[in-house]
């Protein structure tokens, strides 16, 4: 497991495109009332990791709102970039947690230098993967589709390993796509 994908601008571009496609799909479906959906993006301030040229695009989380007076229902499509309301991007939460595993001082120091994640944040993410995530309805249903079973004591590294991918980052992108259902409106309960 390496941090290589985090340094690959193509990975951030792929995640951005995937999010736009998911938003387009949701928009094409329209609101459940039959109304049209228009863009009502949420501002986000991802702290680290995104290449300079993509930073403006990463300041927004796609979301849609029904244009019908009296409905105005919000539809928030799944996202490969934003895992809940965290200031850190999903890619970082997955990859950095996978790399650091049991958080040692040395690993924490390396991650601090690379993406500016504090030891306390790493520990919080670790707790989320080991305690909160395994209890999620999404995971309890999804894990049955993965054979042999994923070792939950080694999350998220054990999950990431199931998405080997071709080049640097492809596995990470595939893993984030798998996790995307937990990022929808309902999944927001997970926000730390
Ligand atoms: Zn509506």
């Amino acid at each position: 497991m390496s941090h290589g994908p985090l340094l690959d601008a193509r990975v951030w571009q792929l995640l951005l495109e995937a999010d736009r496609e998911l938003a387009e799909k949701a928009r094409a479906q329209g609101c459940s009332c039959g109304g049209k959906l228009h863009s009502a993006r949420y501002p986000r301030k991802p702290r680290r990791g995104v290449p300079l040229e993509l930073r403006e695009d990463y300041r927004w989380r796609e979301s849609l709102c029904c244009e019908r007076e009296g409905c105005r229902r919000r539809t928030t499509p799944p996202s490969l970039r934003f895992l809940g309301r965290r200031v850190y991007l999903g890619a970082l939460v997955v990859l950095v947690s996978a790399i650091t595993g049991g958080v040692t001082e040395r690993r924490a120091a390396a991650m601090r230098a690379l993406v500016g994640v504090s030891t306390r944040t790493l520990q919080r993410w670790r707790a989320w993967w080991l305690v909160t995530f395994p209890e999620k309805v999404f995971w309890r249903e999804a894990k049955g589709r993965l054979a042999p079973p994923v070792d939950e004591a080694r999350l998220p590294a054990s999950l990431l390993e199931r998405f080997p991918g071709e080049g640097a980052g492809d596995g990470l992108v595939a893993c984030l796509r798998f996790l995307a259902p937990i990022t929808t409106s309902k999944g927001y309960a997970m926000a730390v």
Side-chain angles (χ1 to χ4, degrees), residues 31-37 66-68 71-73:
C31 183
S32 54
C33 79
K36 276 189 183 167
L37 296 172
C66 179
E67 65 173 15
R68 267 194 192 165
C71 177
R72 301 280 185 208
R73 220 171 83 98

